[in-house]
Amino acid sequence: NAGVTQTPKFQVLKTGQSMTLQCAQDMNHNSMYWYRQDPGMGLRLIYYSASEGTTDKGEVPNGYNVSRLNKREFSLRLESAAPSQTSVYFCAVQAPPANEQFFGPGTRLTVL
Amino acid sequence: QKEVEQDPGPLSVPEGAIVSLNCTYSNSAFQYFMWYRQYSRKGPELLMYTYSSGNKEDGRFTAQVDKSSKYISLFIRDSQPSDSATYLCAMRTSGTYKYIFGTGTRLKVLA
């Protein structure tokens, strides 16, 4: 997980609360991703950013917003948390030219 | 039917055994294949990356791609208790940023 950091590591929210998950990389790559990982579901893509200032929806974007204000940071925001958003969230950075993805350590989120 | 299928396990083997982990897929356009290892409560760690068909070896790990059968494998030789983890496969087509992940196989190597 070297090069990709995520904060916080753990978070408990009540239904309806908001929060922002932070991701930062020191790998100097353009493409960054947010995934959620749930038992039996594997990793599912929430949002993707090809470069600073650009974002695209993934497989499960509903209930989330993202922000890519600079090359280094990509944040994920839950505006009104729901129990269905209880999950482990991973940020990843894609490295050219082979386009392998490198993951951060994750944020474990529980919504009560 | 999921695009990528992976047996969830757990797969238990004795230390020193050769382990075979597999994924099947339905999209014949997949060209890029990755294997990740994920320890409990940690992020996935990239193990192997292969393009198209063939084998790739790195130390005790060998990745194989059989595109005709839509089947990929990860072999671990001389398995160690430290190899106990969940192994995820991932794949994508060319020209897309989106990887499709398997749900992972949990491996236990018994000392």
Side-chain angles (χ1 to χ4, degrees):
Chain A
N1 299 326
V4 184
T5 58
Q6 290 183 239
T7 56
K9 287 186 169 52
F10 304 94
Q11 184 71 49
V12 179
L13 294 177
K14 294 180 180 178
T15 297
Q17 287 185 317
S18 62
M19 79 161 294
T20 299
L21 283 66
Q22 304 285 356
C23 175
Q25 55 134 337
D26 61 5
M27 304 171 77
N28 200 35
H29 295 313
N30 284 318
S31 300
M32 298 183 73
Y33 300 74
W34 275 107
Y35 291 91
R36 59 179 289 173
Q37 187 176 39
D38 303 289
M41 302 292 288
L43 284 156
R44 292 183 291 169
L45 181 64
I46 305 172
Y47 269 95
Y48 158 72
S49 171
S51 61
E52 176 183 341
T54 68
T55 60
D56 284 306
K57 294 179 181 178
E59 183 183 355
V60 289
N62 291 344
Y64 305 96
N65 286 304
V66 289
S67 177
R68 182 83 184 275
L69 296 179
N70 56 59
K71 190 173 186 179
R72 187 172 173 272
E73 297 170 304
F74 188 31
S75 61
L76 179 72
R77 183 161 178 83
L78 287 71
E79 291 290 351
S80 179
S84 61
Q85 294 177 305
T86 293
S87 187
V88 183
Y89 292 85
F90 289 102
C91 176
V93 174
Q94 188 150 296
N99 291 326
E100 306 105 312
Q101 291 194 355
F102 296 91
F103 284 80
T107 294
R108 193 171 293 269
L109 176 67
T110 301
V111 183
L112 303 174
Chain B
Q1 183 188 4
K2 292 181 181 178
E3 276 192 281
V4 178
E5 300 273 4
Q6 198 174 0
D7 189 322
L11 174 64
S12 294
V13 301
E15 183 176 357
I18 296 174
V19 176
S20 172
L21 302 164
N22 310 296
C23 287
T24 58
Y25 60 94
S26 57
N27 188 348
S28 58
F30 285 140
Q31 295 264 26
Y32 300 86
F33 304 92
M34 297 191 295
W35 283 98
Y36 285 89
R37 176 174 62 197
Q38 186 175 21
Y39 291 115
S40 180
R41 296 182 172 264
K42 299 291 185 183
E45 171 193 6
L46 182 65
L47 276 179
M48 300 286 283
Y49 177 91
T50 52
Y51 169 69
S52 195
S53 289
N55 294 359
K56 184 175 181 180
E57 188 173 322
D58 184 2
R60 295 185 296 112
F61 299 92
T62 299
Q64 282 187 356
V65 175
D66 182 348
K67 294 192 74 180
S68 62
S69 300
K70 297 180 193 168
Y71 190 87
I72 67 170
S73 300
L74 178 71
F75 296 96
I76 307 174
R77 290 182 297 282
D78 188 25
S79 57
Q80 303 294 311
S82 58
D83 295 326
S84 297
T86 297
Y87 289 81
L88 306 168
C89 63
M91 50 197 79
R92 70 176 175 93
T93 63
S94 60
T96 179
Y97 59 83
K98 185 181 175 186
Y99 277 95
I100 306 297
F101 284 81
T103 53
T105 298
R106 189 169 159 216
L107 172 67
K108 293 181 179 180
V109 181
L110 306 172

